[in-house]
Amino acid sequence: MVSVRLASPRARAAAIAAALPLLYAAIVGVWVVPSVVALDLIRRPGSAVLTSLFAGLVLIPFTPYGVRSVLTCLIFGVILELPFLVTRYRRFSPWIFFTATTVLLVLYSLLAYRTYDVGTFPLAGQIAFFGLMLVS
């Protein structure tokens, strides 16, 4: 009998990200949602960072980056909290959430641009990549 070994979740995630960067760009915003929701509901210092830590820990077995995903998620949480830190956690206007999330996704897009070698895509693919990253 021939046994078939299925790839680990990490290997599958790496293959999808490498083969389909536009799909990755379309769903990357899902990583940000828990931190934004926690920050809006709890409205306390550190809530986005703590939620990002938990999200990173959950991601470890499902990402090709393993423990490094925790660091990425923590950076997400810190960037999301910076505008609220500036306002001393007294203002929770929707525009602050929108601005923080947009800045985070622009910075992450630039990192992903290099990681997934988006520069080799046709111009339409590069525009789609950044557009999907921001819309996601």
Side-chain angles (χ1 to χ4, degrees):
M1 176 176 226
V2 176
S3 72
V4 177
R5 183 175 175 187
L6 297 176
S8 70
R10 285 184 188 180
R12 288 191 301 263
I16 290 170
L20 304 169
L22 291 178
L23 175 64
Y24 174 77
I27 62 172
V28 74
V30 174
W31 288 13
V32 181
V33 171
S35 301
V36 172
V37 170
L39 189 58
D40 190 32
L41 290 176
I42 299 171
R43 296 186 177 205
R44 296 281 184 250
S47 59
V49 174
L50 187 61
T51 304
S52 295
L53 171 66
F54 291 140
L57 292 172
V58 169
L59 278 174
I60 289 174
F62 304 108
T63 179
Y65 304 108
V67 178
R68 290 181 292 176
S69 65
V70 175
L71 180 61
T72 302
C73 286
L74 283 173
I75 292 170
F76 279 15
V78 168
I79 292 171
L80 286 172
E81 286 214 23
L82 284 177
F84 299 99
L85 177 65
V86 169
T87 64
R88 300 180 71 180
Y89 294 92
R90 293 184 182 159
R91 293 189 50 150
F92 288 87
S93 303
W95 71 269
I96 298 175
F97 284 97
F98 178 75
T99 303
T101 305
T102 302
V103 167
L104 167 65
L105 289 174
V106 165
L107 292 173
Y108 191 66
S109 296
L110 295 174
L111 175 68
Y113 182 86
R114 194 176 118 227
T115 302
Y116 298 112
D117 202 18
V118 177
T120 61
F121 293 7
L123 182 59
Q126 293 178 30
I127 293 170
F129 183 82
F130 281 111
L132 288 169
M133 287 285 267
L134 291 176
V135 172
S136 73

